[in-house]
Structure formats: structure tokens, C-alpha cells
Amino acid sequence: MSTEGAATPAVAAVSANTFGRYLLVRALLIVPTVLILVTLVFFLLRLTGDPVTAALGGRLTPTQLAERIHEAGYDRPVWQQYLEYLRQVATFDFGTTLTDNQPVTEVLLTYGGATLELVLYASAVALVLGIPLGMLAAAMRDRWPDALLRVSAILLYATPVFFAGLVGKLVFSVWLGWLPVSGRAGVRTELALTRDGGTGIYLIDAIASGNPAYVQDVLAHAVLPALTLGLLTAGIFLRLVRTNVIGTYTMPYVDAARSRGVNEFRLVRTHAFRPALIPIITVMGMQIALMLGGAVLTETTFEWKGLGFQLAAYLSARDFVAVQGIVALIAVIVAVTNFFVDIVAAFIDPRVRY
């Protein structure tokens, strides 16, 4: 008895040390991940020349252009520019946009809330639809509901975001007149919510204002963008949940529960779903982070003025300084999201730590 009692704290200490090392390694991996992504963006954008010429080449005289290039340091060797850019990124200084002369950090703070809000809406749609329907498909596998759901998932995933957005606008805004065509809120609502600054997340600001009309207006504008971006990811979640739940559905403990008279839906929900969570959570976490890429097309389609909308505008204007800053932020978000996904996976299944 005494030996067992002494072994328990020792096992706990080993487990804690292992988890601590696991977290440290995962946290340290954030740095090279961001470094690789930022480096790729920097050199790929330099393939077209210096950013000043790309953005302002047709609007300045050769003398003015040469002065601007020299002031920005783009006449130095590329490796020096790269090292200087890494120094700036390390201090969260992403430079100044060339087209509208704004600090890139200010652009990120101004428009980041809108993109975060859209991703949260779309994530809610994807999770609420994808997980239950995936479990239903697993429970009804190889029957007509399963076939219908699988085909629907493929269609959702294969449909381009901009096309789904345009069809949604045509049907629900133009033909039926149920929902607004574009924007994050009506003009009056937007002016009221931005008058005193606010958080940049309109739903929070609308709730804080205490005006139900503002909340209704904000939610009405969010429906189509959230569905457009969320349904695509819901298709991925549906197939992912179905595949992994079916993979655990034939395990001996599930057969034992079935022999005790547990009904099929409870088997899926309780006995098959939980053991399948590790791959599900890992992929879901990354898909939610990658929604930032889909947000570019969604925001452009619905004139949702977030980072995706601004990124498209800066790309059109060839303002590569702004593009570098926005992409660097997205790289950080993806890396940090992956870190938190790894932590959740380690909590659910201790085997992940080893």
C-alpha cells in the first residue's frame, strides 16, 4: 500500500514535467513558423521589384520616385532590407502604407475587429452545423441520409466562396428582400456604433449601446457573410466528424455498449465521438484559423470592411508594405491557434504529449 501511495506523486510529477516540456517545445515552434511565413512573403513580393515603384510608379516623376525609394531604404541590398524588416516585425512595427500613408499597425487595429467578428460568426455556423450533421451521418452510415449529407458536404466544400456569396445576395437580398446586400451595419447604426470608438466588434458595441434595433441590424448584416464562409467549413467538419466517428464505431467498447442495449445515437454521441476528438479538434482548429484566407473573398463580396477587404484593396494598389503587415499578422494568428489546438489535444489525450 505504501509503495502505491509513493508511486502516485511520482507519476504525477513525471506527467507534469512531460506536459511542461511539450508546451515549451510547441511554444518555441511558433517562432520558426512565423519566421518562415514572413520570409516567404517578403521575398515573393520583392520578385516584382521594390514596393514604392510597384505602388507609385505611374504617379510620381522619376526624381520623386528615386527620392521615395531612397527614403524608404529600398535601394539597399535585399538582405539588408530583410534584416531590417525582421527587426521591425519583432517590435510589432510593420511600417507605413504607401497608398494612404497609415501605420500598418493602425490598419491592423482598425480593421482587425471586423475580421475577428466575421470569423467568430462563421465558426459558430460551421460548428453548429458540421458536428451534429457529421454525427448523424455516422449514425445513419450507408443509408440515404448519410449519402445525402456526404453529397451536400462535397458541394459545400467545392463551391467557391464568392459564388456562394453572390447567389446568397441574389436570392435573399434581391429576390426576397429579407437581408441586407452588403456592409456590416446600416448607415445610422454604423455611425452610432463608431461615434465613440468602441471595440470594433459591432455586435458587442450594439449590445453595449442598449438599443435592440442596433443589435438586430448588425445580426441581419452578418447572416449572409457568416453563412457563406461558415457553410464551406461546415462541409469539412461534417466529413471529418463522420470519418473519425465511424473509425471508432467498431471498437470493442462500442460493441460492448451496444450489447447492453445502448441505442445507436447515444453510441455515436457518447462512446464513439469522444475518442475521435483528437484528429477532429486538430483539424477544426486549423480550419478556423484558415478562415482568415476565406475572409478575403467573403469580405470583398459583401463589402465587409475588415482585414480581408483591406488586403484586397492593397493588393490591387500593389501596396506591398501593407500586404506584408497583414499577412504577417495572419501568420502569427495561425501559429498561435495551432499552439492552443495542441494544448487542447494534450489535455484530452495524454498520449499526445509523448
Side-chain angles (χ1 to χ4, degrees):
M1 295 294 291
S2 59
T3 304
E4 292 178 0
T8 302
V11 171
V14 170
S15 179
N17 290 335
T18 303
F19 187 57
R21 288 196 300 271
Y22 175 81
L23 289 184
L24 178 61
V25 170
R26 292 298 175 181
L28 291 176
L29 285 175
I30 294 176
V31 177
T33 301
V34 173
L35 179 63
I36 291 171
L37 292 173
V38 167
T39 300
L40 285 174
V41 172
F42 178 89
F43 285 105
L44 285 174
L45 292 179
R46 288 304 189 281
L47 291 177
T48 59
D50 68 89
V52 176
T53 303
L56 305 173
R59 293 151 52 186
L60 299 176
T61 65
T63 303
Q64 292 173 325
L65 192 62
E67 290 176 355
R68 289 290 298 271
I69 292 173
H70 180 70
E71 289 173 3
Y74 293 125
D75 54 352
R76 295 179 298 171
V78 174
W79 67 268
Q80 291 184 4
Q81 297 180 42
Y82 172 66
L83 293 178
E84 176 63 18
Y85 181 65
L86 290 183
R87 185 194 65 78
Q88 291 177 339
V89 170
T91 59
F92 296 98
D93 176 13
F94 298 103
T96 304
T97 63
L98 299 172
T99 50
D100 49 12
N101 201 34
Q102 291 188 76
V104 175
T105 306
E106 186 176 324
V107 174
L108 299 177
L109 292 174
T110 302
Y111 297 99
T115 298
L116 174 62
E117 186 174 17
L118 176 59
V119 169
L120 290 175
Y121 290 147
S123 300
V125 170
L127 292 170
V128 168
L129 293 179
I131 293 178
L133 292 179
M135 293 170 66
L136 176 63
M140 305 289 290
R141 64 192 185 284
D142 298 330
R143 286 182 273 179
W144 71 265
D146 177 32
L148 179 62
L149 288 171
R150 277 188 289 166
V151 171
S152 300
I154 293 172
L155 290 176
L156 289 174
Y157 179 69
T159 303
V161 173
F162 68 90
F163 178 76
L166 291 174
V167 171
K169 289 171 69 171
L170 180 64
V171 174
F172 295 103
S173 299
V174 178
W175 291 352
L176 300 176
W178 290 353
L179 297 168
V181 176
S182 61
R184 296 179 62 199
V187 176
R188 288 184 58 188
T189 302
E190 193 157 9
L191 288 174
L193 297 181
T194 56
R195 185 182 299 119
D196 299 322
T199 64
I201 299 177
Y202 279 7
L203 182 58
I204 294 177
D205 296 335
I207 293 172
S209 72
N211 190 330
Y214 293 164
V215 176
Q216 183 179 355
D217 187 31
V218 168
L219 290 176
H221 280 79
V223 170
L224 282 179
L227 287 175
T228 299
L229 185 56
L231 286 176
L232 179 144
T233 310
I236 300 173
F237 287 1
L238 192 159
R239 291 183 62 83
L240 177 68
V241 170
R242 177 189 179 276
T243 300
N244 284 279
V245 168
I246 289 177
T248 60
Y249 207 65
T250 57
M251 302 296 267
Y253 59 84
V254 176
D255 291 334
R258 185 182 290 111
S259 67
R260 295 196 303 270
V262 178
N263 66 63
E264 292 299 310
F265 285 102
R266 187 178 176 186
L267 281 175
V268 170
R269 185 180 69 252
T270 304
H271 295 80
F273 179 63
R274 289 179 184 175
L277 275 177
I278 297 300
I280 291 172
I281 288 176
T282 301
V283 176
M284 282 183 176
M286 291 311 301
Q287 283 296 328
I288 290 173
L290 293 174
M291 277 186 184
L292 292 169
V296 175
L297 293 174
T298 306
E299 289 181 6
T300 304
T301 302
F302 291 97
E303 296 180 31
W304 185 281
K305 295 184 179 179
L307 286 179
F309 184 85
Q310 290 301 117
L311 179 61
Y314 286 130
L315 279 170
S316 178
R318 300 177 68 81
D319 190 336
F320 294 156
V321 174
V323 172
Q324 282 180 168
I326 295 174
V327 173
L329 176 66
I330 293 174
V332 171
I333 291 173
V334 171
V336 172
T337 301
N338 191 35
F339 171 68
F340 283 112
V341 167
D342 288 339
I343 293 176
V344 173
F347 271 116
I348 294 173
D349 188 351
R351 294 173 300 176
V352 175
R353 309 173 194 176
Y354 295 93

